[in-house]
Amino acid sequence: MQTTAGSRRLAVVAALVLGVLALTACSGTDGDRQRSAQAWLDRTADTVADPDGWDSGGGQLLRSGDVAEGGFISDSTPAGHYDVVAVCRDAGAVRVTVRVFPEGRDGEDGVVAGRAALRCGRTARIPVTVPARSGVWIQARTSDRSEYALWYGTIATPGWTPQVSEAR
């Protein structure tokens, strides 16, 4: 009888230890999350950046008040028609806004050239026209409270589609 009670205690202790280990593995450490985020950004850059396009950028959406945001500026994108291709992770939705602005001016002085509501896990394609001697500011914003919301965008040639490797 003692063996049965001892076995039960051992089973309960083992279940508790396994439960704590499972919870720790699911939530991960801060370092694990940072490595995962960097790995996603590296894979995404390899997949989404158009080799014949113009500029690309992305990263963590940083919280400021009720919104988290990020973006990048391409100071002197050649005049022409482009598709801005954007993706995100770990946020429900991200609002992507593309502005064009005269070369040498601040991106906030720019004119909205396109925007899209992006559901994370999907790809948004925003057609834009860039006038001569203009810069492009691509901004991503979310009200999602996720601490590790990530995004990536590229200024691509019209109609270009990211090629997803079969090995991934």
Side-chain angles (χ1 to χ4, degrees):
M1 200 137 196
Q2 191 111 11
T3 310
T4 306
S7 296
R8 283 186 196 156
R9 275 188 227 136
L10 181 59
V12 169
V13 169
L16 286 173
V17 169
L18 289 174
V20 168
L21 288 175
L23 288 173
T24 303
C26 288
S27 65
T29 65
D30 210 32
D32 291 339
R33 284 190 235 165
Q34 289 174 356
R35 281 187 291 282
S36 172
Q38 189 59 54
W40 182 85
L41 286 168
D42 292 343
R43 281 191 315 272
T44 301
D46 288 346
T47 303
V48 176
D50 177 4
D52 297 322
W54 192 246
D55 275 339
S56 297
Q60 184 176 359
L61 297 174
L62 302 175
R63 181 146 305 284
S64 175
D66 290 340
V67 297
E69 59 187 345
F72 74 90
I73 290 177
S74 176
D75 284 332
S76 57
T77 305
H81 301 287
Y82 298 93
D83 285 344
V84 171
V85 178
V87 296
C88 63
R89 175 184 123 168
D90 295 338
V94 171
R95 180 85 149 145
V96 180
T97 303
V98 181
R99 297 178 192 276
V100 294
F101 58 92
E103 193 172 51
R105 302 271 309 269
D106 188 333
E108 291 192 34
D109 293 336
V111 175
V112 173
R115 63 175 49 141
L118 170 61
R119 303 262 334 116
C120 288
R122 296 189 177 185
T123 303
R125 179 178 302 275
I126 307 165
V128 297
T129 299
V130 177
R133 296 179 306 281
S134 292
V136 178
W137 178 29
I138 302 174
Q139 181 184 32
R141 300 180 76 178
T142 186
S143 58
D144 192 282
R145 305 299 268 166
S146 174
E147 185 179 342
Y148 282 93
L150 303 171
W151 84 286
Y152 192 87
T154 189
I155 302 171
T157 53
W160 180 81
T161 301
Q163 302 298 312
V164 178
S165 169
E166 298 263 340
R168 287 192 185 155

